[in-house]
Amino acid sequence: MTEQTPVPLEGDALELAKLKAGLTAGLTPEQSARLIGTDEAALIADAAALVAEFTPSTLAPPAPRAGGDRGPDVQSTAGTVAGGAAAYRRKHGLDEDGNRPPAPQRVNTSRVTNPFQENGYTTEHRR
């Protein structure tokens, strides 16, 4: 048995082989154009190496939460929509239906006074 030597590609055939090897490996056409090699086997190997280089081997640790610990107004039920709605109703004095309770009636409604009235003010000019 004789071993086949790879046929070097040139010109348009080389560009087509780069594009085919890159797209098969999951690269974009722009990344595929940067592949190095003169035959299909070398281009496929370079595309696989490039994809392996861009693929993270381990996931990055999650970023720390901003703001620190939860405050006293955040409770365990606040993570749900119903819990958030209940906290809103409590904060704004609303009942379960979202309505404000009726305002208490005035105790003394017979005498209504003007709060802007000044006692002792007259419009007469004295000389």
Side-chain angles (χ1 to χ4, degrees):
M1 290 183 100
T2 61
E3 194 174 301
Q4 289 185 341
T5 59
V7 177
L9 301 172
E10 296 177 352
D12 290 339
L14 178 63
E15 295 301 316
L16 183 61
K18 284 182 179 184
L19 184 62
K20 183 179 174 184
L23 292 177
T24 303
L27 298 175
T28 65
E30 292 80 16
Q31 294 168 333
S32 299
R34 296 174 178 248
L35 294 178
I36 299 171
T38 57
D39 60 0
E40 285 189 45
L43 292 172
I44 291 171
D46 191 36
L50 188 59
V51 167
E53 189 173 324
F54 284 131
T55 304
S57 59
T58 59
L59 296 176
R65 289 181 52 183
D69 294 333
R70 297 178 352 170
D73 61 333
V74 179
Q75 297 173 5
S76 62
T77 60
T80 64
V81 174
Y88 181 85
R89 286 192 302 271
R90 277 193 311 273
K91 180 176 181 182
H92 295 286
L94 305 175
D95 62 8
E96 290 297 319
D97 295 328
N99 300 320
R100 294 200 184 278
Q105 294 294 323
R106 287 181 148 181
V107 176
N108 183 4
T109 58
S110 63
R111 181 174 177 246
V112 178
T113 60
N114 182 355
F116 301 104
Q117 178 182 0
E118 294 183 20
N119 295 332
Y121 180 78
T122 62
T123 58
E124 297 177 10
H125 253 10
R126 293 185 187 176
R127 286 190 179 213

